[in-house]
Amino acid sequence: MACCALILAAGASTRMGVPKQEIPLLGVPALVYTLRAFEQADSIQRIVLVCPPKQETHYRELADHWHCTGKLAAVVPGGATRQQSAAAGAAAAGECDFLAVQDGARVLTLPGEIDCVVEDAQKYGASALAVPVKDTIKVISADGFVTDTPERSTLWSVQTPQVFCMEKYCSLLTAAQGDFTDDCQLFERAGVPVHLCRGSYTNLKLTTPEDIPAAEAILRAREQ
């Protein structure tokens, strides 16, 4: 069953202060690590890169320079929200059975993890990489007081890629009301079950400046 990866790299990077996808990690633009992982994943047949508007040529040239175009089918502009960017990517995916939606700033995903979650989605219809939370989580009120402590054994931190049956995903995306912070919510709100596939704690997402040295440390360890 054919699977197309949608790499969403059109965000404003407001918490980082600079475009996350181009931050150098060990001298290599962060986005290149993401592209390489999906190039190497056996379960992925093609890739659609969703970039900031009017920067399609720049990102195509970046991929060319770093030799990440073997599966790159299209580079398209994103929208003002994650949902709009996902819709733009899905429209350019062509004919396929599944879509693997990846945050462009989640640069440490391994090819084997991609293959695992794609296989999981082919079995269950929808799947996402995730890991059990390590910390105790507190729910707080608007004025900062603790109101609840959920049972930690039931809490997982969801990552990407998140992989879905393309037909169902596009249908839910078209009908969606409001904006969602991740794509699993589309299925949750529609009552469609999403299975979680055990990922790794090294599958970090670049969000704040503190994440950069942590990501580089993981990359150095992988080179040893």
Side-chain angles (χ1 to χ4, degrees):
M1 289 183 280
C3 183
C4 176
L6 307 184
I7 298 179
L8 307 184
S13 303
T14 53
R15 286 175 287 182
M16 185 66 77
V18 295
K20 292 182 288 187
Q21 54 268 33
E22 295 192 59
I23 291 172
L25 299 176
L26 305 183
V28 178
L31 181 63
V32 171
Y33 292 100
T34 309
L35 290 169
R36 284 175 176 172
F38 282 85
E39 288 267 357
Q40 295 167 15
D42 293 333
S43 58
I44 301 299
Q45 282 68 53
R46 56 183 176 272
I47 298 168
V48 173
L49 174 59
V50 185
C51 69
K54 301 181 180 180
Q55 295 192 38
E56 298 94 311
T57 299
H58 169 66
Y59 279 89
R60 170 65 76 171
E61 290 175 348
L62 184 150
D64 285 340
H65 177 78
W66 291 97
H67 309 292
C68 300
T69 58
K71 295 181 181 178
L72 189 59
V75 180
V76 299
T81 67
R82 177 191 174 86
Q83 254 175 262
Q84 291 173 3
S85 294
E95 293 185 10
C96 59
D97 302 295
F98 286 85
L99 293 176
V101 186
Q102 172 80 353
D103 293 320
R106 196 171 290 276
V107 301
L108 300 175
T109 311
L110 293 169
E113 294 171 342
I114 297 167
D115 290 337
C116 183
V117 70
V118 170
E119 181 180 357
D120 206 54
Q122 290 172 346
K123 180 178 180 180
Y124 294 104
S127 182
L129 284 180
V131 291
V133 300
K134 295 181 178 181
D135 298 321
T136 297
I137 305 298
K138 299 291 185 181
V139 179
I140 65 170
S141 63
D143 50 0
F145 290 95
V146 173
T147 62
D148 191 23
T149 304
E151 172 55 47
R152 187 170 60 186
S153 63
T154 67
L155 301 177
W156 287 57
S157 178
V158 177
Q159 305 172 341
T160 61
Q162 299 177 359
V163 187
F164 311 98
C165 169
M166 180 176 178
E167 183 178 2
K168 187 66 175 178
Y169 177 76
C170 291
S171 173
L172 293 176
L173 198 62
T174 300
Q177 299 293 321
D179 193 38
F180 298 98
T181 57
D182 87 330
D183 298 279
C184 290
Q185 289 177 286
L186 287 171
F187 283 67
E188 294 167 35
R189 294 288 178 89
V192 180
V194 178
H195 194 258
L196 295 185
C197 179
R198 179 66 181 259
S200 67
Y201 291 102
T202 60
N203 188 16
L204 303 180
K205 181 181 178 184
L206 297 181
T207 303
T208 62
E210 293 80 9
D211 298 324
I212 297 172
E216 290 189 319
I218 293 169
L219 289 169
R220 287 192 188 97
R222 289 178 179 177
E223 290 178 350
Q224 295 176 358

